Amino acid sequence: MENIANYKYHKMASTELKIFENIASLADALAQAISQGIEQKNNGQWYTIALPGGSTPAVVFKHFAEFYKDKISWEKIRFFWGDERCVDPTSDESNYQMAHKNLFQPLGINPGQICRVMGEYDPPKAVMHYRGVLKEFVEEQDGLPAFDMMLLGMGDDGHTASIFPHDKKILSSLNSCDVTTHPQSGQRRVTLTLPTINNSRKVCFLVTGSAKAPMLKRVITGENANHLPAYHVKPHSGTTDWYIDRGAASMI
């Protein structure tokens, strides 16, 4: 396993770019960040993490299950999601199902720690249910959930969670989460809103592959980026860490 300290390091205000040789070393560094976050949490309090979907998180979760089963205090974490498709939880399209298969099941996570979006519900009912879950189980700050760690991906179009370009409603919503619609497929989804994401104590983007390099450059530099949701992820009092591989970083 590679030394997790062996990465290029750049700092821009409250944003850190961490560039790794491969996904394995990226996952090692993220595991260390999670472990440190749990240790810094006051005794008896849950460490709250919002999970993403996507192919890169799937590989990261598999790595955690294989190498970190006994190295992280998983029993101290409550798991949530940044977004979820309105599908059955057994569907291959479900972000919950991906995490269940690659992380929860291999690690034996207690179901009581898992606070999923009820994607099988009618979308308005699903979003109302998730708002109640967030209200009950996540500490609030300024009237919105304040996650300890928000894990996010970024699409080729600059979307993050299920906040898509030009979706002004979700960018400015005062709700913790809302229903959104994929602009191409028309699929309905539940997503955390940008104000909720920016209320997090730490945001970690997981971005890999050269296909993401042009968009990553725009988001980082702000070039023609005002309509890109990922560009507007700037936690009020926390930090944003970009966990990226050399392919994604090739144009920076």
Side-chain angles (χ1 to χ4, degrees):
M1 194 177 300
E2 294 190 15
N3 183 345
I4 63 174
N6 187 22
Y7 59 77
K8 287 188 176 180
Y9 173 85
H10 306 268
K11 188 168 184 179
M12 304 180 302
S14 60
T15 299
E16 296 180 7
L17 303 184
K18 302 182 178 185
I19 305 173
F20 300 89
E21 291 293 334
N22 51 49
I23 296 182
S25 56
L26 180 158
D28 289 336
L30 183 60
Q32 180 176 339
I34 293 171
S35 184
Q36 289 175 343
I38 294 170
E39 291 174 4
Q40 292 166 4
K41 193 79 173 177
N42 293 332
N43 288 338
Q45 290 186 309
W46 289 98
Y47 189 73
T48 55
I49 296 181
L51 301 177
S55 56
T56 295
V59 176
V60 170
F61 294 167
K62 288 179 182 178
H63 190 85
F64 287 171
E66 183 173 358
F67 296 105
Y68 289 91
K69 185 171 185 176
D70 301 317
K71 297 180 180 178
I72 291 177
S73 299
W74 298 106
E75 73 281 358
K76 297 181 180 180
I77 300 175
R78 266 208 172 112
F79 298 92
F80 303 79
W81 276 263
D83 69 321
E84 180 60 281
R85 299 172 175 89
C86 291
V87 297
D88 189 89
T90 60
S91 169
D92 289 340
E93 294 185 49
S94 166
N95 289 340
Y96 161 78
Q97 176 62 17
M98 185 275 281
H100 173 75
K101 180 173 66 175
N102 295 302
L103 187 67
F104 301 150
Q105 193 172 45
L107 292 178
I109 298 296
N110 188 319
Q113 297 172 238
I114 301 168
C115 301
R116 73 176 181 89
V117 181
M118 298 297 188
E120 67 272 32
Y121 287 0
D122 182 66
K125 182 180 178 181
V127 80
M128 290 303 296
H129 178 270
Y130 199 44
R131 286 175 189 171
V133 168
L134 298 177
K135 186 81 173 175
E136 182 175 0
F137 295 113
V138 184
E139 295 175 61
E140 286 193 349
Q141 181 175 318
D142 300 325
L144 286 171
F147 286 94
D148 291 308
M149 180 176 284
M150 176 74 56
L151 299 181
L152 294 171
M154 184 191 71
D156 295 348
D157 61 353
H159 85 266
T160 191
S162 281
I163 309 175
F164 299 98
H166 306 293
D167 196 342
K168 295 180 181 178
K169 173 190 171 185
I170 308 299
L171 287 173
S172 60
S173 175
L174 298 179
N175 296 319
S176 59
C177 59
D178 270 317
V179 178
T180 189
T181 303
H182 190 281
Q184 278 78 49
S185 69
Q187 184 183 59
R188 303 280 272 171
R189 301 182 179 188
V190 173
T191 184
L192 297 180
T193 61
L194 181 67
T196 298
I197 291 172
N198 281 340
N199 215 32
S200 304
R201 298 183 175 98
K202 178 183 281 292
V203 172
C204 299
F205 274 96
L206 313 180
V207 182
T208 60
S210 58
K212 300 288 179 71
M215 184 55 65
L216 180 62
K217 179 183 177 182
R218 286 176 61 187
V219 169
I220 295 300
T221 63
E223 177 186 351
N224 190 25
N226 198 51
H227 67 292
L228 303 175
Y231 170 71
H232 292 284
V233 175
K234 297 176 172 63
H236 308 308
S237 57
T239 61
T240 304
D241 293 345
W242 289 83
Y243 288 74
I244 57 182
D245 67 359
R246 290 193 176 276
S250 61
M251 296 181 67
I252 298 175

